[in-house]
Amino acid sequence: MRKVPFKNYVILAVIILLTVTFVFYLRSWFNTSKEYYAQNSVMTQVVREIKSEEIANYTLENQKFILYVSSGQNSVVKNFEDDLRDLIKKMELGEEVLYMNLDGIDTDAFYNSLKDRFAANTKIKNQISVDTPANMYLFTDGKVTAVLNNVNNYSMKRLETIIDSWEIK
């Protein structure tokens, strides 16, 4: 019977130790990224995020854009946002769409501001809703001219058709 050198056992132990350490690192990284996306929206990967107090200034410089509004922590819209992110990439709308996270802001004050300062007319003012998980607003000439409430219930094909009809580019 052949004798196995002691250094081979040491090398095997080091390889096993490194492998186990690497697996635990990957698991930790996966859990951290999963937790991050549970608390934040994937929309920030493809579009710029804006705060509610910045909208007035943004409308002065950019007359036509889409504002997507939702909570970064709302699990109801996570799958929709994955699809929406892909649609925005496909339609090359990264510069024309803004994302606003509703977490940590006074939503009533935000929606009242949209109604009072940015609604183009009374019909639009009445369409702006507080009770929906995700909304889209088309701004034209600094005013909201179209509203999509519960946008998370729209199919991507329908949403693509609507955005195309807005002629945002």
Side-chain angles (χ1 to χ4, degrees), residues 19-137:
T19 303
V20 168
T21 304
F22 183 68
V23 167
F24 278 107
Y25 171 77
L26 286 178
R27 180 181 176 273
S28 173
W29 177 78
F30 174 77
N31 287 338
T32 301
S33 64
K34 186 173 158 184
E35 185 178 312
Y36 173 79
Y37 284 114
Q39 299 296 318
N40 297 291
S41 175
V42 296
M43 296 304 296
T44 57
Q45 295 174 352
V46 291
V47 298
R48 289 176 283 164
E49 188 171 355
I50 192 168
K51 305 288 183 211
S52 58
E53 57 272 4
E54 298 169 343
I55 293 175
N57 289 335
Y58 191 83
T59 58
L60 294 174
E61 297 172 17
N62 301 284
Q63 295 294 301
K64 193 164 191 176
F65 63 95
I66 297 171
L67 178 65
Y68 172 70
V69 177
S70 75
S71 167
Q73 298 178 356
N74 189 342
S75 60
V76 172
V77 298
K78 292 296 182 187
N79 290 335
F80 168 78
E81 286 184 349
D82 287 336
D83 295 338
L84 180 60
R85 176 192 60 200
D86 296 340
L87 179 66
I88 288 171
K89 284 180 186 176
K90 175 184 160 192
M91 295 180 73
E92 299 175 351
L93 293 174
E95 294 298 315
E96 289 80 16
V97 178
L98 295 176
Y99 166 70
M100 193 177 96
N101 189 344
L102 292 176
D103 299 332
I105 69 162
D106 182 358
T107 54
D108 290 332
F110 166 69
Y111 285 115
N112 286 335
S113 172
L114 268 185
K115 289 176 183 180
D116 297 338
R117 296 177 65 191
F118 300 107
N121 54 46
T122 307
K123 179 183 173 193
I124 295 295
K125 194 177 209 178
N126 293 334
Q127 289 178 343
I128 296 175
S129 175
V130 178
D131 300 327
T132 61
N135 303 313
M136 256 188 201
Y137 304 102

Side-chain angles (χ1 to χ4, degrees), residues 133-158:
N135 303 313
M136 256 188 201
Y137 304 102
L138 172 66
F139 280 74
T140 307
D141 297 327
K143 296 289 183 184
V144 177
T145 56
V147 176
L148 297 179
N149 290 319
N150 287 315
V151 74
N152 54 305
N153 294 332
Y154 287 57
S155 71
M156 286 303 122
K157 186 136 183 82
R158 180 176 177 205

Side-chain angles (χ1 to χ4, degrees), residues 1-18:
M1 192 175 203
R2 202 178 86 146
K3 185 175 179 186
V4 179
F6 179 72
K7 74 173 188 174
N8 288 1
Y9 290 113
V10 172
I11 291 171
L12 178 63
V14 168
I15 289 173
I16 290 172
L17 182 65
L18 288 174

